[in-house]
Amino acid sequence: MKAVNAVTTSWPRLAVERPAFAAVAEAELDAVHRYLLFLTGDRAVAEDLTGETFEKAFRAWRRFDPRRGSARTWLCQIARTVALDHFRSEERRRRREERFSHGRADVDDGPAVPGELGEALAGLSPAEREVVALRVLLELDGPTAARVLGISRTACSTRLSRALKRLEELMRDARD
Amino acid sequence: MPATDIDFERDFAEVVARLRDVPAAAPESLRARVHALGEPEAPPTLRDRVAIVPWRRAVLVTVPVCLAALLSVAAVRGLLSSRPERNVTASAVSGASTTPEKAPPFFAPVPAWDSATTEHGALSSGVGGSGRPAHVDASMRVRVPDLDTLTDRTREAMQIARSLGGYVASVQQSTSAGKPGEADLLLKVPVGHVDTALMRLSALGTVLDQNLSVVDLKQTLDQQRSRIRSLRLQIARLQQALRDPALTADVRLRLQFQLDAARQTLSRLTGSNKATLRQAALSDLSLALTTERAAGAATKDHQGRTERAVRDAARFLAAAGAVALFVLIAVSPLLLIGAAWLYGSRAYRRREERRLLAATPE
């Protein structure tokens, strides 16, 4: 059964029929979590950011327009913004504390993905892990993923190809 | 699949399969946290409604709507300003009051003329037809096509005056080579036929200008009649007194002088009264026939309404365009600064994103 939220605007041309937020959250929670897990490479951080993402989406739900894109795309865009904010704040914190070099989220409780795949993923940059998550795991099509990432379709495709190739090499190296 | 896309399912089948096998379900604690959010209840605000409209779509709708509105206003303005204009003026005079009006008033239906006060509307018609004595003085300037027609129309004007019981007081026609032909006629027409005369004279050509003045004579005539009556009474009394045989010589002489003076005054006043009545009986119509093409009138005569409408609409659009250009020039520095700021901030944000996400773990 498809739950439909009755929130519509009064201007007929702007009338928007949105699905219920709870239903969307239930359907997309795993996807968003997986995306953030790959992007951050940290389970705890991914969990926090996923919660934050849905809280932000909850507040902005009245501005979600299904005609402009799927809920998954919209949530991924929010998740990405949340993650980037997190990276910035982490960078500032690191700079203040001068504990770490730069550019990497803390990995305190082990890799997000266990085994050789996890080690290989850890060898990718967040941007590469991000495109892999969007295209392979969340199965967004090329244009949608490019829109989420804010890059061209060609750049998105190139980045994915390079990321998968590198991942393959890293896995092969780990196996050998 | 687009040409720019890769078939990663085939090219990297093993890696993709491994990636998809990774268990990445959200933990229960996170699921509970998200479930606890529930459903948004607050109704959408105006900001939400506005924010939901994509700006590209808004521009796509707003710009054509504004252009259509501008064109509509220009069209309406053009149509309104292209209504036929009469280059005819008429003025009416009673005492010192003169009021111009666009339409020739004396061709309107005849209302009752019940007052000497010549309000423009009251005067406007029925000149000479109300029974109230008045002097009518009208002048008209009529354009005819050429010199031959000028002669014919002059003759016709004279016939019109005669056919209505009037006469031609004067005619002056000049047809010099290289100059526009002119014919000036002074016609005397019975006041009762002024409307008819003006109507028929205006049909001789294109009326360029016409003037009508009406001076109410009732009060003048009443005063004259009253004065005549009192003089006649005075004369009768003086004659009665002179019949008395007991009058002394000097008294008789004085009465005789008074009687003579009264008779002279009566004679003069009677003459004035007759002249006033003549004035009230005949109207003066000055008719000027010309072959000269009045620049404004000629232009307007030959300009179609559509042409004028298009011209006025174009003029309005040009004015609107000038205003828009001025505003654009005035705000263009701000627009440039805004665009530069927008572009710069976006570029900075992208660069920051790339930097944050490009870091490869050591």
Side-chain angles (χ1 to χ4, degrees):
Chain A
M1 187 181 69
K2 185 186 176 188
V4 173
N5 194 342
V7 177
T8 56
T9 58
S10 59
W11 193 7
R13 290 181 70 90
L14 297 181
V16 176
E17 197 173 82
R18 298 187 190 87
F21 177 78
V24 169
E26 177 63 35
E28 303 297 342
L29 179 61
D30 287 342
V32 173
H33 178 254
R34 187 179 283 196
Y35 166 62
L36 286 169
L37 189 64
F38 269 65
L39 180 58
T40 61
D42 187 312
R43 283 191 180 279
V45 171
E47 191 174 332
D48 278 351
L49 295 185
T50 306
E52 201 176 322
T53 298
F54 277 95
E55 283 166 2
K56 206 170 175 180
F58 178 82
R59 290 193 296 272
W61 185 243
R62 289 165 302 183
R63 295 183 199 170
F64 168 58
D65 185 355
R67 295 169 300 187
R68 298 169 67 178
S70 68
R72 177 172 289 190
T73 308
W74 185 67
L75 287 168
C76 282
Q77 284 171 328
I78 295 175
R80 189 167 193 269
T81 308
V82 169
L84 287 168
D85 289 344
H86 167 77
F87 288 156
R88 279 191 202 95
S89 65
E90 278 298 295
E91 189 184 47
R92 281 196 296 271
R93 186 181 64 80
R94 272 201 302 273
R95 210 179 290 152
R96 262 199 318 271
E97 297 176 359
E98 295 182 353
R99 286 181 186 171
F100 303 97
S101 54
H102 60 84
R104 181 184 175 188
D106 293 333
V107 183
D108 295 333
D109 56 349
V113 178
E116 64 179 27
L117 179 61
E119 287 173 17
L121 281 172
L124 299 182
S125 70
E128 289 167 335
R129 290 198 301 267
E130 179 183 34
V131 75
V132 168
L134 290 176
R135 291 288 277 120
V136 179
L137 302 182
L138 273 62
E139 296 179 353
L140 298 185
D141 57 17
T144 308
R147 190 148 62 93
V148 172
L149 298 174
I151 57 178
S152 69
R153 288 167 60 181
T154 311
C156 180
S157 183
T158 307
R159 188 182 293 181
L160 175 64
S161 175
R162 196 173 55 217
L164 289 173
K165 202 170 187 177
R166 188 149 178 236
L167 192 61
E168 208 172 40
E169 288 169 2
L170 287 168
M171 284 171 69
R172 201 180 302 128
D173 291 348
R175 217 177 288 142
D176 296 339
Chain B
M1 188 175 63
T4 54
D5 218 346
I6 62 163
D7 188 359
F8 62 82
E9 302 271 5
R10 190 195 63 199
D11 298 345
F12 304 96
E14 188 197 340
V15 178
V16 168
R18 292 285 302 275
L19 284 168
R20 285 178 178 161
D21 284 344
V22 172
E28 280 308 311
S29 59
L30 175 61
R31 200 172 294 278
R33 182 180 164 188
V34 172
H35 280 173
L37 291 172
E39 201 67 39
E41 288 177 358
T45 61
L46 181 64
R47 194 178 163 201
D48 296 329
R49 291 174 185 176
V50 171
I52 211 168
V53 181
W55 70 269
R56 285 189 185 89
R57 194 176 299 171
V59 168
L60 276 176
V61 172
T62 309
V63 169
V65 164
C66 287
L67 283 176
L70 192 66
L71 287 172
S72 304
V73 170
V76 169
R77 191 182 164 83
L79 286 175
L80 287 178
S81 62
S82 69
R83 281 187 298 192
E85 288 176 17
R86 299 292 296 269
N87 56 329
V88 173
T89 59
S91 64
V93 177
S94 174
S97 99
T98 302
T99 311
E101 189 176 275
K102 281 183 178 178
F106 26 79
F107 301 145
V110 181
W113 191 357
D114 56 358
S115 170
T117 305
T118 51
E119 285 293 327
H120 189 59
L123 172 70
S124 66
S125 60
V127 177
S130 66
R132 191 173 175 110
H135 177 64
V136 179
D137 196 345
S139 64
M140 185 183 284
R141 186 168 171 80
V142 177
R143 184 171 58 79
V144 293
D146 50 45
L147 291 175
D148 291 339
T149 315
L150 179 69
T151 308
D152 294 342
R153 296 290 182 266
T154 305
R155 198 176 300 120
E156 277 182 43
M158 292 160 68
Q159 284 172 354
I160 288 168
R162 288 175 190 133
S163 68
L164 293 171
Y167 61 93
V168 180
S170 70
V171 178
Q172 188 176 357
Q173 186 175 351
S174 62
T175 51
S176 306
K179 290 184 180 176
E182 293 277 349
D184 295 314
L185 296 92
L186 179 59
L187 308 173
K188 297 282 188 178
V189 176
V191 170
H193 296 299
V194 168
D195 281 353
T196 312
L198 289 171
M199 207 176 297
R200 289 174 64 181
L201 291 173
S202 65
L204 294 176
T206 306
V207 178
L208 301 177
D209 179 53
Q210 58 187 16
N211 254 285
L212 175 71
S213 74
V214 179
V215 179
D216 185 33
L217 297 174
K218 187 171 190 308
Q219 194 179 359
T220 309
L221 282 170
D222 287 347
Q223 285 172 350
Q224 287 173 343
R225 282 168 186 160
S226 169
R227 182 73 180 131
I228 286 169
R229 271 198 301 274
S230 67
L231 280 170
R232 281 180 178 156
L233 189 62
Q234 188 185 357
I235 288 168
R237 281 174 184 160
L238 287 168
Q239 285 174 336
Q240 180 73 26
L242 284 168
R243 285 193 199 106
D244 186 359
L247 286 177
T248 58
D250 58 332
V251 172
R252 181 175 296 277
L253 186 62
R254 198 177 69 241
L255 288 174
Q256 190 61 49
F257 281 148
Q258 284 179 358
L259 180 62
D260 291 344
R263 278 176 176 159
Q264 282 177 4
T265 308
L266 177 64
S267 171
R268 195 174 63 246
L269 207 57
T270 307
S272 299
N273 182 244
K274 282 178 182 171
T276 306
L277 286 172
R278 273 199 303 276
Q279 273 191 332
L282 287 174
S283 58
D284 293 340
L285 301 184
S286 300
L287 176 66
L289 296 169
T290 180
T291 58
E292 185 180 17
R293 297 175 69 85
T299 306
K300 284 189 177 173
D301 285 347
H302 288 84
Q303 258 184 346
R305 188 176 178 186
T306 310
E307 191 184 340
R308 269 182 283 145
V310 170
R311 186 197 59 202
D312 289 339
R315 196 175 295 161
F316 176 80
L317 286 176
V323 170
L325 190 64
F326 174 77
V327 170
L328 194 65
I329 290 169
V331 302
S332 58
L334 293 174
L335 286 175
L336 280 175
I337 291 170
W341 180 82
L342 201 67
Y343 179 79
S345 63
R346 186 176 290 181
Y348 174 77
R349 199 175 65 239
R350 289 271 164 81
R351 194 169 62 84
E352 275 296 291
E353 284 178 9
R354 275 200 302 275
R355 188 181 62 77
L356 286 168
L357 296 175
T360 308
E362 293 168 0

